[in-house]
Amino acid sequence: MDAVARLTPLGVAVLALLSEGDMHPYEMIRLMHLRRDDRLVTITNGTVYHTVARLERAGLIAEVGVDRDGNRPERTTYTQTDAGAAAVLEWVRRELPRVDRPAEFRVALAEAHGLDRAEAVALLDARRGALADALDALATGRRHAVGKGVPEQYLLEISREEALLQAELAWMDATLPRIAAPDFPWGPDETPSERYFAQRKAARQ
Protein backbone atom coordinates (compact mmCIF):
# COMPACT_ATOMS: atom_id res chain seq x y z
CA MET A 1 0.00 0.00 0.00
CA ASP A 2 1.47 3.37 -1.01
CA ALA A 3 1.61 6.51 1.14
CA VAL A 4 -1.44 8.00 -0.55
CA ALA A 5 -3.56 4.91 0.09
CA ARG A 6 -2.57 5.02 3.76
CA LEU A 7 -3.74 8.61 4.19
CA THR A 8 -6.78 9.11 6.40
CA PRO A 9 -9.26 11.99 5.98
CA LEU A 10 -7.71 13.63 9.05
CA GLY A 11 -4.25 13.21 7.56
CA VAL A 12 -5.41 14.98 4.42
CA ALA A 13 -6.95 17.77 6.51
CA VAL A 14 -3.66 18.26 8.36
CA LEU A 15 -1.65 18.31 5.13
CA ALA A 16 -4.09 20.77 3.61
CA LEU A 17 -3.66 23.07 6.62
CA LEU A 18 0.11 22.99 6.25
CA SER A 19 -0.24 24.12 2.64
CA GLU A 20 -1.22 27.47 4.18
CA GLY A 21 2.01 27.71 6.18
CA ASP A 22 4.04 26.04 8.91
CA MET A 23 2.10 25.22 12.10
CA HIS A 24 2.37 23.32 15.34
CA PRO A 25 -0.31 20.70 16.16
CA TYR A 26 -2.00 22.91 18.76
CA GLU A 27 -2.59 25.59 16.14
CA MET A 28 -3.88 22.96 13.72
CA ILE A 29 -6.40 21.73 16.28
CA ARG A 30 -7.59 25.23 17.12
CA LEU A 31 -7.86 26.25 13.48
CA MET A 32 -9.79 23.14 12.47
CA HIS A 33 -12.25 23.71 15.32
CA LEU A 34 -12.63 27.38 14.39
CA ARG A 35 -13.42 26.37 10.81
CA ARG A 36 -15.79 23.60 11.99
CA ASP A 37 -13.76 20.94 10.23
CA ASP A 38 -15.01 18.64 12.99
CA ARG A 39 -18.08 18.27 10.77
CA LEU A 40 -15.89 16.23 8.44
CA VAL A 41 -13.34 14.48 10.64
CA THR A 42 -12.99 13.59 14.32
CA ILE A 43 -10.60 16.09 15.90
CA THR A 44 -9.07 15.42 19.31
CA ASN A 45 -5.63 16.19 20.66
CA GLY A 46 -4.74 12.50 20.57
CA THR A 47 -5.89 11.86 16.99
CA VAL A 48 -4.16 14.97 15.64
CA TYR A 49 -0.83 14.35 17.38
CA HIS A 50 -0.93 10.70 16.29
CA THR A 51 -1.69 11.75 12.72
CA VAL A 52 1.15 14.29 12.72
CA ALA A 53 3.56 11.60 13.89
CA ARG A 54 2.44 9.24 11.13
CA LEU A 55 2.76 11.94 8.47
CA GLU A 56 6.27 12.76 9.64
CA ARG A 57 7.31 9.10 9.53
CA ALA A 58 5.94 8.89 5.99
CA GLY A 59 7.99 11.91 4.92
CA LEU A 60 4.89 13.98 4.11
CA ILE A 61 5.67 16.64 6.72
CA ALA A 62 8.91 17.67 8.43
CA GLU A 63 9.85 19.37 11.69
CA VAL A 64 11.13 22.92 11.23
CA GLY A 65 11.55 24.14 14.80
CA VAL A 66 10.57 24.03 18.46
CA ASP A 67 9.20 27.09 20.26
CA ARG A 68 8.40 27.85 23.88
CA ASP A 69 6.15 30.76 24.85
CA GLY A 70 6.36 31.64 28.53
CA ASN A 71 5.30 28.76 30.76
CA ARG A 72 3.60 26.88 27.93
CA PRO A 73 4.95 23.49 26.82
CA GLU A 74 7.33 23.36 23.90
CA ARG A 75 5.55 23.33 20.57
CA THR A 76 7.07 21.64 17.53
CA THR A 77 6.31 23.35 14.23
CA TYR A 78 5.90 21.33 11.04
CA THR A 79 6.02 22.09 7.34
CA GLN A 80 4.50 20.28 4.39
CA THR A 81 7.05 18.53 2.19
CA ASP A 82 6.85 18.32 -1.59
CA ALA A 83 5.83 14.69 -1.17
CA GLY A 84 3.04 15.78 1.18
CA ALA A 85 1.71 18.35 -1.26
CA ALA A 86 1.69 15.78 -4.06
CA ALA A 87 0.02 13.18 -1.81
CA VAL A 88 -2.93 15.47 -1.03
CA LEU A 89 -3.64 16.09 -4.71
CA GLU A 90 -3.33 12.42 -5.60
CA TRP A 91 -5.62 11.43 -2.70
CA VAL A 92 -8.24 13.92 -3.88
CA ARG A 93 -7.96 12.58 -7.43
CA ARG A 94 -8.59 9.05 -6.19
CA GLU A 95 -11.49 9.89 -3.88
CA LEU A 96 -13.53 12.43 -5.87
CA PRO A 97 -15.03 9.96 -8.36
CA ARG A 98 -15.72 7.20 -5.81
CA VAL A 99 -19.25 6.58 -4.53
CA ASP A 100 -18.46 3.93 -1.91
CA ARG A 101 -16.55 6.11 0.61
CA PRO A 102 -18.84 8.99 1.65
CA ALA A 103 -16.64 10.22 4.52
CA GLU A 104 -13.58 10.40 2.29
CA PHE A 105 -15.57 12.08 -0.47
CA ARG A 106 -16.60 14.95 1.79
CA VAL A 107 -12.96 15.73 2.60
CA ALA A 108 -11.94 15.31 -1.05
CA LEU A 109 -14.67 17.73 -2.11
CA ALA A 110 -13.50 20.24 0.49
CA GLU A 111 -9.99 20.06 -0.99
CA ALA A 112 -10.97 19.75 -4.67
CA HIS A 113 -10.02 23.38 -5.26
CA GLY A 114 -6.38 22.29 -5.16
CA LEU A 115 -6.83 20.54 -8.49
CA ASP A 116 -6.99 22.19 -11.87
CA ARG A 117 -10.59 23.29 -12.53
CA ALA A 118 -11.04 21.09 -15.61
CA GLU A 119 -9.64 18.04 -13.83
CA ALA A 120 -11.94 18.54 -10.83
CA VAL A 121 -14.97 18.87 -13.11
CA ALA A 122 -14.02 15.70 -15.01
CA LEU A 123 -13.59 13.70 -11.81
CA LEU A 124 -16.88 14.93 -10.39
CA ASP A 125 -18.60 14.16 -13.68
CA ALA A 126 -17.28 10.59 -13.43
CA ARG A 127 -18.77 10.41 -9.94
CA ARG A 128 -22.08 11.68 -11.32
CA GLY A 129 -22.12 8.83 -13.81
CA ALA A 130 -21.43 6.28 -11.09
CA LEU A 131 -24.20 7.76 -8.92
CA ALA A 132 -26.65 7.55 -11.82
CA ASP A 133 -25.75 3.90 -12.36
CA ALA A 134 -26.19 3.17 -8.65
CA LEU A 135 -29.60 4.87 -8.66
CA ASP A 136 -30.74 2.87 -11.70
CA ALA A 137 -29.65 -0.40 -10.08
CA LEU A 138 -31.36 0.47 -6.81
CA ALA A 139 -34.61 1.52 -8.47
CA THR A 140 -34.63 -1.62 -10.62
CA GLY A 141 -34.06 -3.80 -7.57
CA ARG A 142 -36.85 -2.12 -5.62
CA ARG A 143 -39.31 -2.47 -8.50
CA HIS A 144 -38.38 -6.13 -8.82
CA ALA A 145 -38.94 -6.66 -5.09
CA VAL A 146 -42.34 -4.93 -5.20
CA GLY A 147 -43.29 -7.04 -8.20
CA LYS A 148 -42.44 -10.15 -6.20
CA GLY A 149 -44.79 -9.00 -3.45
CA VAL A 150 -42.25 -7.76 -0.92
CA PRO A 151 -44.15 -5.40 1.43
CA GLU A 152 -43.08 -1.74 1.24
CA GLN A 153 -42.31 -1.73 4.96
CA TYR A 154 -39.24 -3.84 4.22
CA LEU A 155 -38.06 -1.47 1.51
CA LEU A 156 -37.98 1.78 3.47
CA GLU A 157 -34.18 1.88 3.64
CA ILE A 158 -33.95 1.34 -0.11
CA SER A 159 -36.42 4.15 -0.83
CA ARG A 160 -34.43 6.45 1.46
CA GLU A 161 -31.21 5.60 -0.39
CA GLU A 162 -32.96 6.34 -3.69
CA ALA A 163 -34.03 9.75 -2.39
CA LEU A 164 -30.48 10.55 -1.22
CA LEU A 165 -29.02 9.56 -4.60
CA GLN A 166 -31.61 11.66 -6.41
CA ALA A 167 -30.78 14.64 -4.20
CA GLU A 168 -27.05 14.33 -4.80
CA LEU A 169 -27.54 13.97 -8.55
CA ALA A 170 -29.68 17.12 -8.54
CA TRP A 171 -26.96 18.93 -6.56
CA MET A 172 -24.27 17.80 -8.98
CA ASP A 173 -26.33 18.79 -12.02
CA ALA A 174 -26.68 22.27 -10.56
CA THR A 175 -23.11 22.56 -9.29
CA LEU A 176 -20.93 21.13 -12.07
CA PRO A 177 -21.82 23.90 -14.57
CA ARG A 178 -21.09 26.51 -11.90
CA ILE A 179 -17.63 25.08 -11.17
CA ALA A 180 -16.89 24.84 -14.89
CA ALA A 181 -17.75 28.50 -15.46
CA PRO A 182 -14.62 30.68 -15.62
CA ASP A 183 -16.16 33.31 -13.32
CA PHE A 184 -16.56 30.76 -10.50
CA PRO A 185 -13.72 31.36 -8.00
CA TRP A 186 -11.27 28.45 -8.03
CA GLY A 187 -7.85 27.71 -6.63
CA PRO A 188 -5.93 29.35 -3.77
CA ASP A 189 -6.87 32.85 -2.65
CA GLU A 190 -4.29 35.28 -3.95
CA THR A 191 -5.36 37.80 -1.31
CA PRO A 192 -6.42 36.12 1.96
CA SER A 193 -9.34 37.77 3.74
CA GLU A 194 -9.27 39.57 7.07
CA ARG A 195 -11.33 36.71 8.47
CA TYR A 196 -8.58 34.28 7.46
CA PHE A 197 -5.91 36.32 9.26
CA ALA A 198 -8.16 36.64 12.32
CA GLN A 199 -8.62 32.87 12.47
CA ARG A 200 -4.88 32.22 12.16
CA LYS A 201 -4.18 34.71 14.94
CA ALA A 202 -6.85 33.21 17.22
CA ALA A 203 -5.55 29.69 16.61
CA ARG A 204 -2.03 30.67 17.73
CA GLN A 205 -3.17 31.98 21.11
Side-chain angles (χ1 to χ4, degrees):
M1 186 182 296
D2 61 17
V4 176
R6 288 194 297 270
L7 277 176
T8 64
L10 180 58
V12 173
V14 168
L15 285 170
L17 274 183
L18 289 176
S19 69
E20 301 176 19
D22 300 345
M23 299 184 198
H24 50 72
Y26 179 77
E27 181 179 354
M28 298 176 199
I29 294 165
R30 294 262 308 196
L31 196 53
M32 284 191 284
H33 279 301
L34 284 170
R35 294 176 177 176
R36 295 306 310 275
D37 289 339
D38 48 0
R39 295 180 305 104
L40 305 177
V41 292
T42 299
I43 300 168
T44 66
N45 287 7
T47 57
V48 172
Y49 278 93
H50 177 70
T51 297
V52 166
R54 289 185 60 190
L55 293 173
E56 185 179 21
R57 287 196 300 271
L60 303 181
I61 66 175
E63 181 180 323
V64 291
V66 178
D67 299 319
R68 180 188 291 275
D69 185 6
N71 294 325
R72 292 176 178 171
E74 289 185 345
R75 292 176 176 172
T76 303
T77 300
Y78 295 89
T79 192
Q80 183 192 72
T81 64
D82 291 343
V88 171
L89 296 181
E90 181 57 28
W91 189 90
V92 172
R93 288 187 183 100
R94 295 183 189 186
E95 296 296 337
L96 269 186
R98 296 187 62 165
V99 297
D100 59 333
R101 288 157 61 93
E104 285 80 0
F105 172 71
R106 293 181 69 195
V107 175
L109 185 62
E111 300 303 330
H113 56 83
L115 300 177
D116 176 78
R117 182 194 302 268
E119 181 179 19
V121 170
L123 291 168
L124 286 170
D125 191 56
R127 176 184 174 83
R128 194 224 173 274
L131 288 170
D133 290 343
L135 178 59
D136 287 343
L138 203 63
T140 299
R142 184 175 62 80
R143 287 195 299 269
H144 180 74
V146 170
K148 291 288 188 178
V150 177
E152 288 281 352
Q153 63 180 321
Y154 299 126
L155 303 174
L156 291 177
E157 192 280 327
I158 293 177
S159 65
R160 174 184 178 274
E161 185 66 17
E162 278 189 80
L164 292 174
L165 287 169
Q166 290 165 351
E168 183 164 1
L169 282 167
W171 178 83
M172 294 197 80
D173 287 341
T175 303
L176 281 171
R178 292 178 60 217
I179 298 175
D183 60 345
F184 186 85
W186 195 256
D189 292 330
E190 294 184 6
T191 306
S193 66
E194 289 297 322
R195 181 171 179 270
Y196 169 79
F197 288 118
Q199 284 183 336
R200 288 295 304 271
K201 182 179 180 181
R204 294 189 187 106
Q205 295 175 350

